[in-house]
Structure formats: structure tokens, C-alpha cells
Amino acid sequence: VSRDAALGVFDSGLGGLTVVRALREACPAEHIVYLGDNARVPYGTRSPATIVRYAQGCARALADRGVKAIVVACNTVSSVALEMLRAELDLPVSGVIAPGARAAAAVAGEAPVGVLGTAGTIASGAYRRALAALSSRTEIIGQAAPLLVSLAEEGWLDGDVPRLVVRRYLEPFFDASGAPRVGCVVLGCTHFPLFRELIAAELAARAGRPIPVVDSAVETARDIRAFLADRAMARDGATGRLDVLVTDMPRSFADVAGRFLGTPIEHVESIDL
Amino acid sequence: VSRDAALGVFDSGLGGLTVVRALREACPAEHIVYLGDNARVPYGTRSPATIVRYAQGCARALADRGVKAIVVACNTVSSVALEMLRAELDLPVSGVIAPGARAAAAVAGEAPVGVLGTAGTIASGAYRRALAALSSRTEIIGQAAPLLVSLAEEGWLDGDVPRLVVRRYLEPFFDASGAPRVGCVVLGCTHFPLFRELIAAELAARAGRPIPVVDSAVETARDIRAFLADRAMARDGATGRLDVLVTDMPRSFADVAGRFLGTPIEHVESIDL
């Protein structure tokens, strides 16, 4: 595969665009093909067998477009389908969980790691397993935060409602005396970088000092850059192209996508899987 | 078809169980087969062509089980697929929009009708068309309220967060001076009956007097009872059976379903469509 080939990135919908945003900052020369399987969003409430089947469809569609590597920009898929995708495809496949877990283990020190995710990601124990693979001592406190997904898609990013929701979801990260129980908090869902500052501010306000917030999207992009450099697969040259594919409703996808990507999307192509 | 045959009720997921709850109160002797197509939930963000295809699959599965009538307990499907289902199936098919619109037109008087729904239902103009068919004078003020769906599924039914969310969604129903602009508010999404009292309380607090809240689920059940009685299709006898079918994740469906149904569900059957 040529180093000029694109990176393929997929997610069940919009959220993975925060990973694309981080990738464009970390590796601006890379071409990117993004596939949002919004006809079947959300994956988080599906059974593992269904998620694996959907992920297969997405990954094949990207492989058919000649990408040089695939980034699974979805915590749910990363937690159940990476092995299968790696076994099936003759391409490097990266998820978003291991990079976030690695960064969290590095900053948390002796303290437990707090993880915010969808109900599915938390219940899957994926972060627990990823951290256990890195350290036998690191504990985890997981908190499902599904309303943050809805708030992100609705565009309610600040004001009383998101602040109260965030505050409530952060409660398990503090003990009865109000002291923090965690050494850092991982944003374990691709929607949550939209609330990174609010989460950091609420953590600091309650703890009386900053608590690091680990953004899986940023950590994943950093890992991809290092991986491409190591294997001499990085593209040189001018800013890369971004192609966006969706499986349903390209118009309304484009309307909301800009919030996740940080810049407006002009063209969205509709495909069938 | 025998009058002892069941009523078939379907929805994209959980929400339709509020219609089942109302049906069991209005017609306790009826057997009910409920199908929640939770493998493909939510329908609200799909294209009309996709929704029609999904609805077809659900309705056929119920028809294959020998139901005597089909209740489409989903505003999204009711707004785009009723005609197709009626054309295709040799069975009575009822939606949830016309009954709610009829009740709203009756109570709103000269004032506009406020409608809360998902973004898809509001954008589809379905309530506007249903009201236009009843009265040339009735205006409508629609407000998409997607966060109420997430709050219902998360079980955050009272407290600051739902109150602030409801308050914000009700804003367009009041003018700059704080006077109500609507004669009633229709709960145009099957999840919203879980917030009926909160919505009524917030409306009354802001208006200084009660504003009627129309529950589409209750109005639909009332219409079905009248329809069955008119056609001598109502079942007599002891309390009817409820069979619940889902297309994915029967266990987690059962966990949350009780909140919508008002009583726990013991058994959920998983089917493929």
C-alpha cells in the first residue's frame, strides 16, 4: 500500500469525527476517509454479535477504497471487534481504547482511573481489561454517561443542564468527604471531547485542584502518528483530503458534523453497506 | 380473524410500551403482542425509505402471528408509513398521531396546539398535516425535545435536570410577556408520557393556570377501544396476555421496559426480522 493512501476511520455515527479532528491536528498531511454508519447508529445498545457484523461491513467498505490503515473511532466497536477485524483484514487496525488506557495509566500514578463512557462501553469492561494489560495495580471506576451523547448531538454544550449532568456523572469519582478517588478521568466515548473543558472545570472545582482529563481521541491520533512514522507509512506534503461517507441522511449528518469536527463539512457522500 | 386474536403493537424500541400500558388500561381483556425493533432503534434519524422498509418488516412479523389489528406505537412510523402498511396488509392499522391530533384540536379551541416530539416527528410536519385535516384554523407550534427520550431511557424522571430540560423545551409555547401561546400541549413521542406530570406542572407554574396536556398513548388506546367495539372485534373475558418480542438484547430491554409499561416484564422473546 502506498504511503499516499488514505487512513480509513469509521464510527457508528458522528462521534468518530472528534478522532478525525485530532488526526488532522496530529497528522495534517494524511488523507482521511471517514465512514459514519448512521443508518445503524447507535451501536452501543446492540449485542456483541451484531456489532461485530456491522464493524465488518464498515471495515470492508474502507478496505475496498484502498486505505492504508483503519482506525476504529468508536469505543463500542474497539471493545468487541478489533481482534476479528485484525484477523480478517490485511491492514493495520487501531482502536481508541488502548491509547486512552495507556495515557491514563501514565498520569494516574497510584490512584484509580475514572472512566466516562456509554453504558455499553462501561459494562463491557473494555477499559478494565486494557488497564489490566498495562498494570496489575491500576484500579478503575467506571461511570456510564449516556446523556452526554444526547447533549452533544443536541448541541447543548454549556449552561445549567450540561453542568448538572456532568456534576452528577462525576460523583462516583469523589468519596463521601468530597476528596477525589481518581488520579485522572478518561473520556471513553468519542462524543465526550465536546465537554472536555466543562468536565475539567467541574473536576477542579470539586477537588480544589486540577485532575487530568485524558482524551482518547487525542491519544489515538498521537499513537497513529507514531505508528505511521515508525513504519515509514506517513504521507508527506500539503494538507490531506477528508472524504466523508455515511449510510443514511447525508444532509442532516453534515448539519451536526461540524460541531464534532471543529470545521464545517461541505460534502457528504451516501453509500450502502 | 377471531375476536380472540391479539392486537399487534410495534415500535422501534421501548417507547411503544407506554401505548401498551394505555391499551391494557382501556381494553384489559385484549391479548397483546408487542414487538420492539431495538436492533434498529432509533427510527427517528433514518430516511423515510428506510423507515418504511423497517416498518414493513415489523408489521409482517406481527401479521404472521395472526393479530387482528396493528397499532403503530411510534410517531416516526405513524408519520411516514401508515398508508403503505394499510395498502399492503389486509388488517386494520392504527397510528398514534391522528388520535392525539384529534384530542388536541378538541381541547385547544381557538388557540394554537403545542407539540413536543423527536426532531424527526417535528420536521416531518405530521402533526401539522393531521391537524390541518381536522380544522383549517388550528395552528401548531412544534418543538423537538430529543433529550427527553434519553432522560426517559436513563431513568432520570425527576429532579433538576429533567425540570430544566422540560422548562427549556416549553419556552416556544410562551410569548415574550410570559403568556401562553398554546391551548394545549401534545406529547408527540411515546417516551414523553413518563414526563406528563412534570410537563403539566411546569406549564401550570409558568402560565399561572393549568394547560391541558394531551397524551397520544391514552388517546390512541381510547380510539382502539371504540374501533374494536364498533366492529364487534373486542375480546371478552379475563385479563389478556402480553407477549413481548424484541430484535436484540432481550435482557437489557426487560430491565428498562418496566419503567415504560408500569409493571415489570418477566419474559422477553428474541426474534429475527
Side-chain angles (χ1 to χ4, degrees), chain A residues 1 30 39 79 81 92 109 119 122 134 156 174 181 184 191 199 204 216 221 233 237 244-245 249 259 270:
Chain A
V1 182
E30 298 297 336
S79 69
I122 298 302
L134 297 165
W156 290 21
F174 294 87
R181 299 169 60 200
C184 70
H191 283 65
I199 289 168
S216 303
M233 281 170 64
V244 177
L245 317 174
M249 308 271 280
R259 192 182 306 144
S270 187

Side-chain angles (χ1 to χ4, degrees), chain A residues 247-264:
Chain A
T247 51
D248 204 1
M249 308 271 280
R251 189 70 165 275
S252 63
F253 186 89
D255 287 346
V256 188
R259 192 182 306 144
F260 289 77
L261 190 61
T263 53

Side-chain angles (χ1 to χ4, degrees), chain A residues 7 31 33 43 59 78 90 104 142 153 158 166 179 201-202 206 231 254 257:
Chain A
L7 293 172
H31 297 313
V33 182
Y43 285 7
S78 296
D90 192 22
E153 299 203 345
D158 40 43
V166 163
E202 287 294 321
R206 180 127 182 211
R231 280 161 189 72

